Amino acid sequence: MRDSTKLIILYALAALFVGLYLFHDLNGSYDYALPRRGVKVAAMAVTGIAIAYATVVFQTITQNRILTPSIMGLDSLYMLLQTLIIFFLGSTHITVVNKQVNFLLSVAAMIIFALLLYQLLFKKGNRPVYFLLLVGIIVGTFFGSISTFLQVLIDPNEFLTVQDAMFASFNNVNADLVWLSIAVVAVCIIIGWRQLRIMDVISLGRDISMNLGVPYDRMVRGTLILSAVLIAVSTALVGPITFFGLIVANLSYQFIKSYKHSFTITAAAGLSMVLLIGGQWVVERIFTFSTTLSVVIEFAGGVYFIYLLLKESRSA
């Protein structure tokens, strides 16, 4: 089957899940339930597309299909920021109560952190990408340790607010933030989509790319910043989803045989919408909210991550 045919089937399945989620068991509540379901579908779609694009291009740069942008410590920084706000300011402060302020503060903090990290590491010459990843792992572990320490000291009632931020949730998404996120993600995708042919060349490796005239270092920096913005927006909108990018990116590599990023990213985005929207429908209608979608994703992603590690070790 041709890749284009696979994509048509995939997006037809995504449209089926969207219609099922929007209109199943609506019982005439078009004015109340339908707009709220539409906001949740839009939030899941924009989150899935942002994570899918960021993960695929990040794995192209690192030449590793196990790594994800979360290894840079952005998820840990998000949790540290939420913990610091609750610890020092309390759960009734405007930065907690006002979702717009919290969203803008979280996105700004993650983007500034990423820019400072890239600037400090790249200004002293062309350091390898793996050096950047190593620093990201160390910084992420450091942030996680501080968050855990503060969460132990925090008031138990206040900790419930922090606990809500630990897991991604699509149930209480602010509509204004969804439209703002769509605008930011759309701009990033438009900018990144124009560079996909260059990413096809970069997938051949640093030396071959530079021999073919690709400004490799500049492309790496720009792509890392783009990935950081997308991950920052998706994380601030719904919360951290660590393994989701790993799942959809590797499934897209299995689903699409083409090396072109225009196909693999499109497939990853479609898979993300199918998994998120279909998974949320299953959680709400079958499991009746007895669990959350993020818990299922983390469990399945962890198992899949172990499978990929074992597969890589056997092939090596």
Side-chain angles (χ1 to χ4, degrees), residues 8-228:
I8 292 174
I9 296 174
L10 177 63
Y11 277 86
L13 183 62
L16 175 64
F17 277 115
V18 169
L20 184 65
Y21 186 85
L22 287 176
F23 300 106
H24 178 260
D25 199 21
L26 201 58
N27 296 328
S29 302
Y30 295 99
D31 294 334
Y32 177 78
L34 189 59
R36 284 160 177 78
R37 291 186 182 185
V39 170
K40 291 168 69 173
V41 167
M44 288 184 277
V46 70
T47 300
I49 292 171
I51 293 176
Y53 181 91
T55 304
V56 172
V57 297
F58 187 84
Q59 291 180 350
T60 297
I61 290 173
T62 58
Q63 298 285 302
N64 192 311
R65 294 187 174 183
I66 296 179
L67 299 177
T68 63
S70 61
I71 200 173
M72 297 306 302
L74 294 180
D75 291 351
S76 300
L77 176 61
Y78 172 78
M79 280 310 308
L80 175 62
L81 180 62
Q82 301 303 315
T83 305
L84 287 173
I85 291 174
I86 299 297
F87 186 83
F88 290 107
L89 302 178
S91 59
T92 58
H93 194 264
I94 187 174
T95 53
V96 179
V97 177
N98 192 312
K99 298 299 182 182
Q100 286 88 349
V101 174
N102 188 278
F103 175 83
L104 294 174
L105 182 63
S106 300
V107 171
M110 287 185 279
I111 293 177
I112 291 173
F113 164 74
L115 292 175
L116 289 176
L117 183 62
Y118 301 155
Q119 181 66 23
L120 291 174
L121 293 180
F122 283 119
K123 73 176 183 179
K124 294 184 178 180
N126 297 324
R127 296 185 182 275
V129 175
Y130 283 104
F131 180 79
L132 178 64
L133 300 180
L134 178 62
V135 175
I137 293 173
I138 295 173
V139 173
T141 304
F142 176 68
F143 288 161
S145 300
I146 297 177
S147 300
T148 304
F149 175 72
L150 293 177
Q151 289 163 13
V152 172
L153 302 177
I154 208 168
D155 181 84
N157 296 322
E158 303 281 7
F159 177 73
L160 294 176
T161 306
V162 179
Q163 194 175 36
D164 291 338
M166 291 181 179
F167 306 100
S169 175
F170 300 96
N171 296 321
N172 298 312
V173 181
N174 186 287
D176 295 334
L177 298 183
V178 172
W179 306 129
L180 177 60
S181 301
I182 290 175
V184 176
V185 170
V187 171
C188 292
I189 295 298
I190 291 173
I191 294 174
W193 198 265
R194 300 171 61 184
Q195 303 173 347
L196 290 187
R197 291 186 178 180
I198 301 178
M199 295 302 299
D200 294 338
V201 180
I202 290 179
S203 64
L204 300 174
R206 175 189 173 91
D207 295 336
I208 295 177
S209 302
M210 295 183 69
N211 288 335
L212 292 175
V214 172
Y216 181 85
D217 295 322
R218 181 166 60 85
M219 282 297 301
V220 166
R221 294 172 196 162
T223 304
L224 286 174
I225 293 173
L226 206 62
S227 298

Side-chain angles (χ1 to χ4, degrees), residues 2-5 7 193 196 252 256-269:
R2 298 174 58 185
D3 289 337
S4 57
T5 305
L7 291 177
W193 198 265
L196 290 187
S252 70
I256 298 294
K257 301 305 178 183
S258 175
Y259 69 92
K260 293 184 178 180
H261 285 74
S262 57
F263 282 95
T264 54
I265 291 176
T266 305

